[in-house]
Amino acid sequence: MCVNSFLCHCVETKYQDIRNFYYITMLRDPVSRYLSEWKHVQRGATWKTSLHMCDGRSPTQDELPTCYAGDDWSGVTLTEFMDCPSNLANNRQVRMLADLSLVGCYNLSSMNESERNHILLGSAMNNLKNMAFYGLTEFQRKTQYLFERTFTLRFIAAFTQINSTRAANVDLSEAVRRRIEELNYLDVQLYEYAKDLFLQRFQYTRQREHQEERLKRREERRWLREQREQSRTSLLKRRGDSGEEGGRGELASTTEDYTSQVARW
């Protein structure tokens, strides 16, 4: 069962009644992801049903204050969204992938901020690296390719890269973009790490596939050479057998004619 349903999913494969479960996830550019969540919250979405369980309990109101009064945060402006210090949209990808038990869960007084952030980022990177698979929404085709190669399957349709999202249509000033990056600077570092590792894995997998294809073609050529050699050997053998029989026939015929002539003379 996946512990973080927002980012983490389980892939189930079944071979001969044996089920294997793998943790996988998708990462997104931190600025785009943050804007997308803001738009989602602006339309009335909440995370009220999320328990945020850690070490067997949910955070207290003091540990995780709410950002709004009322039922939801509908109509929130981007500035208001950024101004809430306890907004869980900040660095969400790192927090969802990291082991929060290492930093005292949501208790911010358990250690200083610098140490806490260092541990969270390292934990998120390590967990991401050890997942069976992860993809990047900005690289849909590459994500599909690696997924299919990892789990030895094929999708019936190609992934589509859609860049005209609600987040992409938000007109940002450079100052606002920098502010979002500052609020999500752990996610920014995680994403840079993830993108570098993802592209390395993609390149390695492509090279391995090309190598396998070369070996396959080499084996096919070797098999064809062997088949041609066997056919040639078989043909020569048949010709050789046919030639021996023909030679004996001609010799017998000559002897018979000669004897016949001698008898007449």
Side-chain angles (χ1 to χ4, degrees):
M1 180 178 182
C2 288
V3 293
N4 291 332
S5 59
F6 188 86
L7 284 174
C8 179
H9 305 277
C10 285
V11 170
E12 176 187 354
T13 58
K14 182 177 180 183
Y15 301 103
Q16 298 178 348
D17 297 327
I18 299 176
R19 286 182 170 86
N20 297 310
F21 293 90
Y22 303 92
Y23 285 102
I24 70 168
T25 193
M26 292 288 293
L27 294 183
R28 187 175 181 181
D29 170 76
V31 174
S32 296
R33 199 218 63 77
Y34 189 83
L35 292 171
S36 178
E37 184 168 351
W38 163 58
K39 283 290 189 181
H40 195 48
V41 170
Q42 192 180 53
R43 295 192 302 273
T46 68
W47 315 118
K48 288 182 177 179
T49 57
S50 300
L51 299 178
H52 306 296
M53 293 291 291
C54 180
D55 281 350
R57 69 176 183 87
S58 296
T60 65
Q61 180 64 27
D62 290 336
E63 290 174 333
L64 189 60
T66 55
C67 288
Y68 56 91
D71 294 332
D72 56 43
W73 210 2
S74 297
V76 60
T77 66
L78 181 56
T79 300
E80 293 170 336
F81 194 73
M82 293 188 295
D83 285 345
C84 178
S86 60
N87 190 349
L88 292 181
N90 301 340
N91 294 310
R92 184 180 287 280
Q93 294 182 109
V94 164
R95 191 178 62 259
M96 297 294 287
L97 289 171
D99 181 0
L100 298 184
S101 300
L102 299 174
V103 295
C105 299
Y106 292 90
N107 181 9
L108 301 182
S109 64
S110 62
M111 61 183 65
N112 65 64
E113 183 180 4
S114 177
E115 182 182 5
R116 176 184 177 86
N117 290 338
H118 177 74
I119 294 173
L120 283 175
L121 181 59
S123 176
M125 287 179 173
N126 188 59
N127 288 335
L128 182 70
K129 179 182 65 176
N130 292 326
M131 278 188 170
F133 169 83
Y134 75 87
L136 304 179
T137 59
E138 282 73 22
F139 298 96
Q140 289 290 329
R141 293 297 179 87
K142 289 181 173 65
T143 293
Q144 178 179 2
Y145 171 80
L146 284 177
F147 188 97
E148 292 176 340
R149 292 284 296 180
T150 299
F151 296 107
T152 317
L153 53 78
R154 288 288 182 271
F155 289 96
I156 60 175
F159 286 14
T160 303
Q161 187 74 49
I162 300 176
N163 295 319
S164 59
T165 62
R166 290 187 177 92
N169 293 327
V170 177
D171 188 18
L172 293 180
S173 67
E174 190 58 34
V176 172
R177 176 174 290 277
R178 283 198 303 269
R179 176 85 189 282
I180 294 175
E181 290 175 346
E182 290 170 0
L183 291 170
N184 294 274
Y185 76 102
L186 293 180
D187 274 9
V188 170
Q189 294 179 73
L190 174 67
Y191 189 77
E192 288 303 313
Y193 168 82
K195 184 164 64 173
D196 182 63
L197 181 58
F198 176 86
L199 293 176
Q200 285 183 43
R201 289 179 175 180
F202 175 79
Q203 188 65 28
Y204 171 79
T205 305
R206 287 296 300 270
Q207 289 176 352
R208 184 175 177 181
E209 182 184 42
H210 292 160
Q211 183 180 18
E212 290 172 355
E213 289 175 351
R214 286 195 297 270
L215 290 174
K216 182 179 179 180
R217 290 195 296 268
R218 187 182 303 169
E219 286 298 310
E220 289 174 348
R221 288 195 297 268
R222 184 185 63 81
W223 183 83
L224 288 173
R225 284 197 302 270
E226 290 178 352
Q227 292 300 308
R228 287 196 297 266
E229 185 64 27
Q230 290 177 5
S231 298
R232 180 170 170 274
T233 302
S234 177
L235 180 61
L236 290 175
K237 186 175 183 300
R238 287 198 302 270
R239 287 178 176 176
D241 292 343
S242 175
E244 277 189 338
E245 291 173 2
R248 292 196 192 100
E250 289 177 1
L251 179 60
S253 176
T254 302
T255 306
E256 182 180 357
D257 290 346
Y258 178 75
T259 306
S260 174
Q261 292 176 7
V262 171
R264 286 199 304 271
W265 291 342

